[in-house]
Amino acid sequence: MSKPLEGIKIIDFTHVQAGPACTQLLAWFGADVIKVERPGSGDVTRSQLRDIPDVDALYFTMLNSNKRSLTLDTKKPEGKEVLTKLIKESDVLVENFGPGALDRMGFTWEHIRELNPGMIVASVKGFSDGHHYEDLKVYENVAQCAGGAASTTGFDDGPPTVSAAALGDSNTGMHLAIGILTALHARNKTGKGQKVAVSMQDSVLNLCRVKLRDQQRLDRIGYLEEYPQYPHGKFSDVVPRGGNAGGGGQPGWVLKCKGWETDPNAYIYFTIQGHAWAPICKAIGKEEWTNDPAYMTAQARQDKIFDIFAVIEDWLKDKTKFEAVDILRKFDIPCAPVMSMKEIANDPSLRASGTITEVDHKARGKYLTVGSPIKFSETTVEITGSPLLGEHTDEVLASLGYSAQQIAALHAAQAV
């Protein structure tokens, strides 16, 4: 069975995380992704945070599966010639260079469009074109701060906090993948390619839209009733850090379970929703609260919400997080165990669904990676190991019409 993106050829000029996360997703779904890398070194993540000497780091392998690697020195005439041929035969070029890098390479948008009018050039940027910080170099945590996430994360008595989730990098890659697929669909209608760009700041902000919602509510009424600062605390004129509050109007908090003294993740997240109030009372043995006017509405509960959480935490003290969730889910109460990375790596459900998958690597052997978060009823997503540096150079050059002699000459030219 053919894969959905089979026949789409992508030139992958990206490195580190945001761009590779985008192109890897497209490769999973069948696109032929040719990762263009510098001879001798390649993507910097091949050597970053290594756990095995002289073997591609997990940082690289987990972001570059299902791709082909082509080593090419685009500063040399021979490299430019190869890239020119590749552009003529490809559908998409994805890059996350600094501003103007493609232009300095000799491949302006105008030139690329002359070579291939249907080409889509997709770019990861730190800030959008025209932004007063557009020349600023951006990494994950920089994007989280610039996009509003850090200012609203953490506890109110502490500093702004960045998230361990890659809100700036992988999230931007996912946004760019959507943009590329949209541009491909548009090309099917018009025959024309176009430029697509996603900034890391914009992508983080898109995930923080509820905080922008809260800023407008705060501007209007001066408080936010679903935050832990209400009703006993004070609000300034900016959205505060809400700790572990839910943010969606249902009070929630991380609560201790049996073993928390020695296990840093012996906790569950517990949410109190209005429709679940009676089941919550029944589950924790406080059925008298169900129809008590002091507790029966969300508004009545808000001023004593942490007292309620304390009672629930007392109920949890002799239960592991998994035992607690197994009880609570029978009552249809929104909750979840706080899962460590070790627990996730060994979770049988995640293994069975392909969300955590084990793949083979020619030098590393077997390693775990995160599989496709998108599941299909008719499409099977197969994850393969990442390529060795330059592993497919000869194969790609041959497909472009280079003879064995020309390929040998190109290797010699790039080695100088």
Side-chain angles (χ1 to χ4, degrees):
M1 179 180 174
S2 64
K3 297 179 181 179
L5 298 185
E6 196 169 293
I8 299 296
K9 183 178 285 188
I10 298 175
I11 304 169
D12 182 1
F13 257 122
T14 70
H15 56 283
V16 190
Q17 186 175 169
C22 166
T23 53
Q24 178 175 252
L25 190 72
L26 302 175
W28 285 345
F29 302 153
D32 178 14
V33 175
I34 300 171
K35 187 175 180 72
V36 181
E37 299 186 78
R38 186 180 302 168
S41 57
D43 190 320
V44 66
T45 59
R46 285 186 182 270
S47 59
Q48 279 188 341
L49 306 175
R50 273 182 172 144
D51 58 315
I52 304 175
D54 302 320
V55 172
D56 289 338
L58 288 165
Y59 197 1
F60 177 85
T61 65
M62 295 177 71
L63 287 160
N64 291 283
S65 55
N66 294 55
K67 303 179 184 180
R68 297 197 286 170
S69 174
L70 165 69
T71 49
L72 198 64
D73 187 347
T74 55
K75 294 181 180 179
K76 294 184 177 179
E78 296 86 351
K80 293 182 189 297
E81 179 186 291
V82 173
L83 182 55
T84 297
K85 291 185 177 183
L86 201 54
I87 287 172
K88 289 179 179 179
E89 294 192 6
S90 298
D91 300 281
V92 185
L93 185 153
V94 190
E95 60 89 17
N96 59 349
F97 294 125
L102 270 180
D103 294 355
R104 292 190 296 273
M105 204 183 292
F107 292 90
T108 62
W109 167 238
E110 291 72 24
H111 181 47
I112 291 173
R113 195 160 49 174
E114 288 174 2
L115 295 172
N116 184 347
M119 175 64 80
I120 293 157
V121 175
S123 302
V124 173
K125 298 177 177 294
F127 296 88
S128 293
D129 288 342
H131 193 284
H132 54 281
Y133 288 155
E134 66 178 348
D135 59 342
L136 190 65
K137 184 172 284 189
V138 176
Y139 295 109
E140 171 66 51
N141 293 345
V142 175
Q144 289 194 32
C145 290
S151 72
T152 56
T153 302
F155 290 88
D156 201 33
D157 58 354
T161 305
V162 297
S163 168
L167 306 180
D169 278 327
S170 284
N171 169 49
T172 301
M174 300 305 102
H175 278 81
L176 188 62
I178 294 169
I180 290 169
L181 294 174
T182 302
L184 285 169
H185 189 63
R187 191 184 68 179
N188 289 338
K189 296 181 177 181
T190 67
K192 295 180 180 179
Q194 60 181 305
K195 291 197 291 183
V196 179
V198 177
S199 88
M200 296 172 74
Q201 181 191 39
D202 293 356
S203 296
V204 172
L205 179 55
N206 190 39
L207 297 191
C208 292
R209 63 176 62 218
V210 296
K211 300 301 182 180
L212 184 58
R213 170 205 69 188
D214 292 346
Q215 183 62 57
Q216 295 173 86
R217 293 168 56 226
L218 182 64
D219 289 343
R220 184 174 297 275
I221 61 177
Y223 62 89
L224 299 167
E225 62 186 22
E226 75 279 15
Y227 280 66
Q229 290 84 349
Y230 179 87
H232 305 297
K234 293 182 178 180
F235 288 86
S236 70
D237 61 350
V238 299
V239 174
R241 290 182 273 286
N244 290 316
Q250 298 85 31
W253 209 253
V254 171
L255 303 178
K256 298 172 185 173
C257 292
K258 180 181 178 181
W260 68 270
E261 298 91 342
T262 55
D263 180 354
N265 294 299
Y267 292 80
I268 67 168
Y269 194 85
F270 193 103
T271 302
I272 298 176
Q273 288 184 309
H275 69 83
W277 179 242
I280 289 169
C281 294
K282 186 174 182 180
I284 66 173
K286 296 292 288 185
E287 291 184 77
E288 67 272 19
W289 281 354
T290 304
N291 298 308
D292 185 336
Y295 291 90
M296 61 188 296
T297 68
Q299 187 174 11
R301 291 190 292 270
Q302 186 59 46
D303 67 343
K304 55 185 86 67
I305 195 67
F306 283 100
D307 295 331
I308 295 170
F309 284 138
V311 170
I312 297 170
E313 200 166 62
D314 185 64
W315 176 81
L316 290 166
K317 67 184 178 183
D318 62 349
K319 302 169 185 67
T320 69
K321 61 186 178 184
F322 298 113
E323 290 170 343
V325 171
D326 280 342
I327 294 170
L328 296 169
R329 67 180 185 171
K330 294 175 183 176
F331 292 88
D332 198 26
I333 297 168
C335 61
V338 173
M339 299 287 284
S340 70
M341 282 296 126
K342 189 175 185 68
E343 289 166 332
I344 284 174
N346 295 303
D347 187 291
S349 295
L350 295 177
R351 293 290 189 106
S353 70
T355 300
I356 294 293
T357 184
E358 188 175 67
V359 296
D360 289 310
H361 186 268
K362 291 179 176 65
R364 166 177 287 279
K366 293 186 181 298
Y367 68 94
L368 292 182
T369 192
V370 179
S372 174
I374 304 167
K375 311 297 192 240
F376 302 90
S377 64
E378 300 295 329
T379 299
T380 300
V381 180
E382 181 184 0
I383 310 297
T384 61
S386 62
L388 301 176
L389 179 61
E391 179 180 346
H392 303 96
T393 298
D394 292 2
E395 179 181 290
V396 173
L397 293 175
S399 72
L400 294 173
Y402 283 80
S403 67
Q405 187 175 7
Q406 289 173 315
I407 292 172
L410 181 61
H411 282 307
Q414 293 193 141
V416 175

